[in-house]
Amino acid sequence: MITTERVRRSSERSLNTVLRRLDSGQLLLICAAGLVAVAGVAHTAAVGLDRPEIAVGFGALIAVGELARLTMPGNREVAPIGAAAALGYTLLLDLSQTPLEHSALQVVAVIAAGMTAGALPHLAVGRPPRLDAMARRLLTGALLAFAFRPLATPLFDLTKPPTRTWWPALIVMVTLIAITLLIDVLIAALLRAEQVRTAFRVAVRDEINMAFPLGAAVAASGVLLALATHSMDLVALLVFAAPLLVTQVAFRKYAGIRATYLQTVRALSRVTEVGGYVEPGHSRRVSRLSVAIGRELGMAEPELLELEYAALMHDIGQLSLRDPIPGGATVLAEPEQARRIAELGAEVIRQTGVLDRVAEVVSRQCDPITDDPPLASRIIRVANAYDDLVGPSTDRDRGGAALERIRLSSGSAYDPHAVEALGRVIDRGRG
């Protein structure tokens, strides 16, 4: 009894925390998904399940997929197995040569029930799901169901002569899936543009590059699952679940490696702070400010990741100094000394053998604009100068004076575009 009460309280706290973090776009998406789910469940409860054993089988696989969901780079929550199972149930045409006529609303009900069942264990242990991600998966699944299910019977009519083929059905499936994937990318881009404060066109490009390939792989798995049931019946669920699970384990390891890599870089960046070479928190502040400026200038996600690495380690060359610069403020150092620090830091980074591009960014952060250094190097120079002058202070006058000082030097020492982007980031933070 006590354990149950603790689980309930933990679930409530987790859910309240999630709701407080949602913005208006996410809330709208969640409300729309909730209405569609209620409509699907209510309709299915009223008319009953068509072929309940099939619905339960696919619903169970969707629940397993939600239970094994993972977070990919860019803080994207995905459930490949669940999404493939939902897609397979949506596109299901027959079982044992018997046409299936379950409605789009039943598809919505099965997807909603499976997703809820898979999310409950996570909620019970204090790992609440991303409600906006779940809502997006449900809405895109519902959209495909409402478009495809009315066409299922005409596409697979057993009363037709034996000349009937799968090609018309397959063409319709691929076309509707492509349209659904495009809509999903646009929805994800709208949400991401609002969350990370970036331009919509940049968010669309990032979603196409980062999320679309996984979506296409899931779509192919869903189509194969739907077609395989024609000859394998429900055994297809077990046959396809195994490779999908192996693939998801590989994705999880990849995401884990990326997260560990970033944590290692962050820990390495603190060496200069622990040694007293720079002010506490300097590297983290420069990193956050650099990434914000990079987003303002339309940099892609892979470029932002390199920028974050380079910004975290931009001062690591100060470890070679016998006499630390007062406060670690390289903006106040002689140009030659600052350039030497950058080159020494780049040499340290090159020793890893895997961060050569990051090392290049660090080594050129003090180059004059006339030498055309990489955009990431120019951004780091601006962000570092601002934090050297302001530090952790939130005083507006001090920040305004520092920004004006950097503006006066832009065009020779600092990239004017990066400086203006810095101004917009600061103004937005003040607002």
Side-chain angles (χ1 to χ4, degrees):
M1 186 69 177
I2 295 176
T3 303
T4 304
E5 182 64 19
R6 286 178 179 173
V7 169
R8 184 185 66 80
R9 290 178 180 176
S10 174
S11 300
E12 289 179 355
R13 286 195 299 269
S14 300
L15 189 57
N16 289 334
T17 301
V18 170
L19 291 175
R20 282 196 298 269
R21 294 175 179 173
L22 297 175
D23 55 40
S24 57
Q26 291 171 311
L27 287 173
L28 181 62
L29 183 71
I30 292 167
C31 289
L35 290 174
V36 172
V38 168
V41 172
H43 176 270
T44 305
V47 303
L49 275 174
D50 181 65
R51 300 296 294 271
E53 72 282 3
I54 302 174
V56 171
F58 276 90
L61 187 56
I62 293 171
V64 169
E66 288 294 326
L67 186 62
R69 69 174 191 268
L70 67 154
T71 302
M72 295 297 289
N75 198 30
R76 293 178 174 87
E77 184 184 276
V78 295
I81 295 178
L87 191 62
Y89 187 61
T90 302
L91 302 177
L92 208 56
L93 293 175
D94 78 317
L95 194 73
S96 301
Q97 297 294 320
T98 303
L100 299 176
E101 299 179 353
H102 53 274
S103 66
L105 286 172
Q106 178 169 315
V107 171
V108 172
V110 170
I111 295 175
M115 293 175 71
T116 302
L120 287 177
H122 287 284
L123 194 59
V125 296
R127 293 196 304 266
R130 288 273 303 277
L131 294 181
D132 60 323
M134 289 183 66
R136 208 179 89 223
R137 292 196 290 272
L138 177 61
L139 279 180
T140 52
L143 181 64
L144 181 61
F146 285 120
F148 181 78
R149 290 315 303 175
L151 303 175
T153 300
L155 287 171
F156 201 83
D157 189 354
L158 289 177
T159 62
K160 290 183 178 180
T163 56
R164 172 184 55 79
T165 69
W166 281 91
W167 285 110
L170 191 58
I171 291 172
V172 172
M173 287 180 186
V174 172
T175 302
L176 292 180
I177 288 173
I179 294 172
T180 303
L181 283 176
L182 178 60
I183 293 173
D184 183 60
V185 165
L186 294 177
I187 294 174
L190 281 170
L191 294 176
R192 192 162 187 82
E194 186 174 1
Q195 291 165 8
V196 301
R197 305 277 189 174
T198 190
F200 176 67
R201 60 178 179 79
V202 176
V204 170
R205 181 191 63 196
D206 286 339
E207 289 301 320
I208 291 175
N209 292 335
M210 303 296 290
F212 189 82
L214 178 59
V218 168
S221 299
V223 171
L224 290 174
L225 180 58
L227 298 181
T229 55
H230 173 71
S231 56
M232 299 175 65
D233 295 342
L234 291 180
V235 177
L237 291 176
L238 298 176
V239 172
F240 275 82
L244 284 173
L245 186 58
V246 171
T247 303
Q248 183 149 330
V249 169
F251 274 118
R252 188 179 297 277
K253 287 184 177 180
Y254 167 71
I257 291 171
R258 286 281 295 266
T260 302
Y261 210 67
L262 182 56
Q263 290 171 2
T264 302
V265 171
R266 285 173 176 166
L268 183 61
S269 71
R270 294 192 69 246
V271 173
T272 52
E273 299 176 16
V274 174
Y277 289 89
V278 299
E279 294 293 328
H282 171 72
S283 298
R284 292 192 300 276
R285 291 192 299 270
V286 171
S287 174
R288 287 196 294 267
L289 195 55
S290 296
V291 170
I293 295 171
R295 284 201 178 101
E296 195 72 26
L297 294 176
M299 293 181 73
E301 275 193 44
E303 296 172 326
L304 288 174
L305 183 61
E306 289 184 353
L307 174 61
E308 184 176 7
Y309 286 166
L312 283 169
M313 296 188 291
H314 76 282
D315 265 340
I316 201 169
Q318 292 203 40
L319 294 174
S320 63
L321 299 178
R322 291 183 179 180
D323 299 317
I325 300 173
T330 51
V331 71
L332 304 176
E334 293 294 329
E336 287 303 319
Q337 184 184 28
R339 190 172 294 110
R340 179 61 177 163
I341 290 171
E343 290 172 354
L344 289 171
E347 188 59 34
V348 172
I349 296 171
R350 287 192 184 96
Q351 299 304 314
T352 64
V354 293
L355 293 174
D356 288 345
R357 293 181 63 177
V358 173
E360 176 70 11
V361 170
V362 171
S363 70
R364 302 195 62 188
Q365 63 179 303
C366 296
D367 286 5
I369 300 301
T370 53
D371 289 351
D372 194 25
L375 176 59
S377 300
R378 288 175 266 163
I379 290 173
I380 291 174
R381 185 170 191 180
V382 170
N384 175 69
Y386 181 81
D387 193 77
D388 278 346
L389 296 171
V390 177
S393 173
T394 57
D395 183 79
R396 293 192 175 190
D397 292 336
R398 184 174 178 181
L403 182 59
E404 187 61 27
R405 176 174 173 174
I406 295 172
R407 276 201 178 105
L408 292 174
S409 301
S410 64
S412 56
Y414 304 108
D415 183 345
H417 299 293
V419 174
E420 292 309 311
L422 169 66
R424 293 193 294 271
V425 170
I426 295 171
D427 289 341
R428 190 162 57 232
R430 288 171 179 171

